[in-house]
Amino acid sequence: MTTPHRPKPFCTFTTPAMWNDPHISAHMLANHLDPDSSLASRSHSFIDQSAEWIISLLRLCSGDHVLDLGCGPGLYACRLARKGISMTGIDVSARSLDHARAVAVREGLPATFV
Ligand SMILES: C[S@@+](CC[C@H](N)C(=O)[O-])C[C@H]1O[C@@H](n2cnc3c(N)ncnc32)[C@H](O)[C@@H]1O
C-alpha cells in the first residue's frame, strides 16, 4: 500500500485560478459594481471619499503617475484618472481588467490596466 501524497503547505499557487474562476469572478465583479455592496470592495460613496482622501494625502495633481496593485475593475483607478492622474492598474483577474479597460476607453481616461 502506498502512502497518500500530502502536499507541502504553500507548494501550489492558486491565485490566478481562484480569481479567474468563472463563477467567482462573475460574482466578484457584480459585487464590485453594486454601489451599495461592501463585499468585494467598499460602497461607491465610500470609494468616492477614499479617492478624494488619497488625492489630498498624497497631494496628487493632474499628470502624476500612480500604480494601483490589485486594482480589480478599476473603481479607485478610474476615479483618480478622472482627475487627470495617470494610472496603471495591475490585477490577476481577466474579467476585472476587461471591465476596467472598457471604462477607461469609453471615458478616454489616462489609465492602463495590465
Ligand atoms: C477584493 S478585490 C479589491 C479590488 C480593488 N482594490 C478594490 O478595492 O476595489 C482584490 C483584487 O486583488 C486581485 N488579486 C489578488 N491577488 C492578486 C495577485 N497576486 N496579483 C494581482 N492581483 C491580485 C484580485 O483579482 C481582485 O481583483
Side-chain angles (χ1 to χ4, degrees):
M1 192 169 119
T2 57
T3 307
H5 171 67
R6 184 175 189 174
K8 288 197 165 82
F10 309 113
C11 70
T12 57
F13 183 58
T14 58
T15 299
M18 205 280 279
W19 291 102
N20 285 299
D21 174 86
H23 178 78
I24 293 174
S25 66
H27 284 273
M28 283 294 296
L29 183 60
N31 274 287
H32 272 117
L33 301 185
D34 178 344
D36 300 317
S37 173
S38 294
L39 291 175
S41 185
R42 300 297 188 116
S43 71
H44 291 194
S45 60
F46 185 96
I47 296 173
D48 288 340
Q49 293 177 57
S50 289
E52 291 299 334
W53 178 76
I54 291 166
I55 289 167
S56 142
L57 182 76
L58 301 177
R59 297 182 185 149
L60 295 173
C61 301
S62 178
D64 284 348
H65 289 72
V66 171
L67 176 64
D68 182 353
L69 297 172
C71 63
L75 298 178
Y76 289 84
C78 288
R79 278 165 174 76
L80 269 61
R82 288 184 191 113
K83 305 281 187 184
I85 298 159
S86 183
M87 296 297 304
T88 299
I90 295 183
D91 204 280
V92 74
S93 165
R95 193 188 295 271
S96 287
L97 290 171
D98 284 348
H99 179 85
R101 288 190 191 109
V103 172
V105 168
R106 188 174 68 231
E107 298 186 28
L109 300 176
T112 303
F113 294 98
V114 181

